[in-house]
Amino acid sequence: LKTMRLAVKRSREILVEAARAHQLGDRLDHLLRQNGMFSLLPLDEDQVTALRDQHALHLVNSGRINLCAVNEDNAGRIAAALAAVLRR
């Protein structure tokens, strides 16, 4: 259980670091203050649809993301897609 908790925590850190690298500033910092494998991203339904259609990122319409899917290999791509839809 501890191993999984630490892995999810690290996924949160990786995504926040990648978001900062893509000029999203502190927009995802709330992820660092949360626990668990799911979090809500600051997205509306149109932005979630754009992530699905244009970037092949699948979230529920509320913007909930499964942090277990985030890793060192894909965090940059996820952050770049978030940056693209959040800047519209």
Side-chain angles (χ1 to χ4, degrees):
L1 189 58
K2 180 180 178 181
T3 301
M4 278 305 297
R5 180 180 55 80
L6 293 174
V8 173
K9 181 180 179 199
R10 183 64 188 137
S11 292
R12 290 173 180 279
E13 294 166 351
I14 291 167
L15 184 56
V16 170
E17 290 167 10
R20 289 178 184 158
H22 283 85
Q23 286 71 49
L24 287 176
D26 63 357
R27 292 183 78 171
L28 298 186
D29 281 5
H30 68 281
L31 298 177
L32 299 174
R33 296 184 296 275
Q34 298 175 340
N35 295 305
M37 51 190 281
F38 296 103
S39 282
L40 290 177
L41 298 177
L43 302 167
D44 61 33
E45 238 179 278
D46 291 336
Q47 291 167 321
V48 171
T49 299
L51 285 173
R52 272 190 217 122
D53 294 348
Q54 299 166 18
H55 301 280
L57 291 179
H58 296 272
L59 310 164
V60 294
N61 288 339
S62 65
R64 187 178 72 171
I65 185 172
N66 181 343
L67 277 301
C68 293
V70 178
N71 58 55
E72 299 266 354
D73 294 330
N74 65 14
R77 185 177 76 80
I78 294 168
L82 289 170
V85 300
L86 286 169
R87 289 197 180 115
R88 287 184 182 182

